[in-house]
Amino acid sequence: MRLRSQALAALLLCVTAWPAMAQECGGDFEAWKQSVAVEAKAAGVGPAGLEALEAATIDDKVLARDRAQGVFTQTFIEFSSRMISAYRLKQGAANLKKYADVFARADQQFGVQAPIIAAFWALETDFGAVQGDFHTLSALVTLSHDCRRPQLFRPQLVPLLELIDRGVLPADVRGAWAGEIGQTQILPSDYLARGVDGDSDGKVDLRGSVPDVIMTTANKVLSRGWKRDQPWIEEVRVPDDIPWDQTGRTNKLPLSQWAQWGVTNPDGTPLIDNGLKAGLALPMGRKGPAFLAYDNFDVYLEWNQSFTYALTAANLAARLAGAKQFDPRNPETGLNNEQMKALQTKLEARGYDVGTVDGILGTNTREAIRKEQMRLGLPVDGWPTPELLVRL
């Protein structure tokens, strides 16, 4: 492809002279892009990819989105009720039937059950209907140059340039604000490393080919540690009193132990020991919904670090696999956003690392809450309540 600008020609001269390690973030944008070009050329990116990089610009709308992820300030019940919609359940069932042969191939080849893939497909883009309208390269350049979280986005830049350079994606490809592409919002590194040509047409098209989407999504899920033919979550009923300090996603125990403490199936029947271990996830505390979380649930957190999103995706998959709607029960009143920030500030003052004081109940904040509940003699369920805020 013939280069279109003198600026790119200058960029190519710099590529041959500079060391193959780009500046991490910040500083003069054009100089920063030149250092990225050094790294890209060292990785084998040719003129088409470098030309696309030269044309990329800062997108202020991307920065605004990155700083305003208010969706994860919602409770699990609020978020899941909105995301597990009647439309997604109906369309998901229809797609499971329509593409049954492809889902069967994905299960056979990668060991990932069809409802798992269909749930991600639903939540990410409504089965391909809403794939995003952000200029992907400019979005990733923006987030990589910005010094807030460059470590998350910088590793995606060169893979995207490789995809563009090879002609797999156009230079102006569009997707989500954080750089994800296609019907299940795959990042460029996964597109490059785990893309599967599901329809055998000689290319991997994650924007337009459903077979490619299904097979690639299964491959990605497997790469995150999925265990073939094993469950991911199961709703359970918890008694009024158990050793609450033993609850939590990461403390995996035999089902026989949970049964001994009085945990049952939702209808009250005894748990059947399946030989696996599971943690007891209480997204809204001991009086809210409860789920056994198996090793496969951890894969959801590899897909998205938000516990609320991960548990919602796992529940949608369970619904598509035939499970009933979970019982919300009657959780204790939680904290609003400002109260959560106040709680995080108090926890931080006590020496806990809660990450950013943002009002979001993330993993670090939950763990800090559990430790303070234990210190104060409260039930250890990781749920922030007005009582806890007062006690602190």
Side-chain angles (χ1 to χ4, degrees), residues 309-328:
Y309 175 97
L311 193 55
T312 296
N315 266 276
L316 177 53
R319 293 290 302 279
L320 291 172
K324 295 181 180 179
Q325 182 176 356
F326 69 82
D327 181 1

Side-chain angles (χ1 to χ4, degrees), residues 44-50 160-169:
V45 175
L50 294 173
L160 177 58
L161 294 174
E162 288 185 63
L163 289 165
I164 292 170
D165 195 60
R166 296 178 186 182
V168 176
L169 294 173

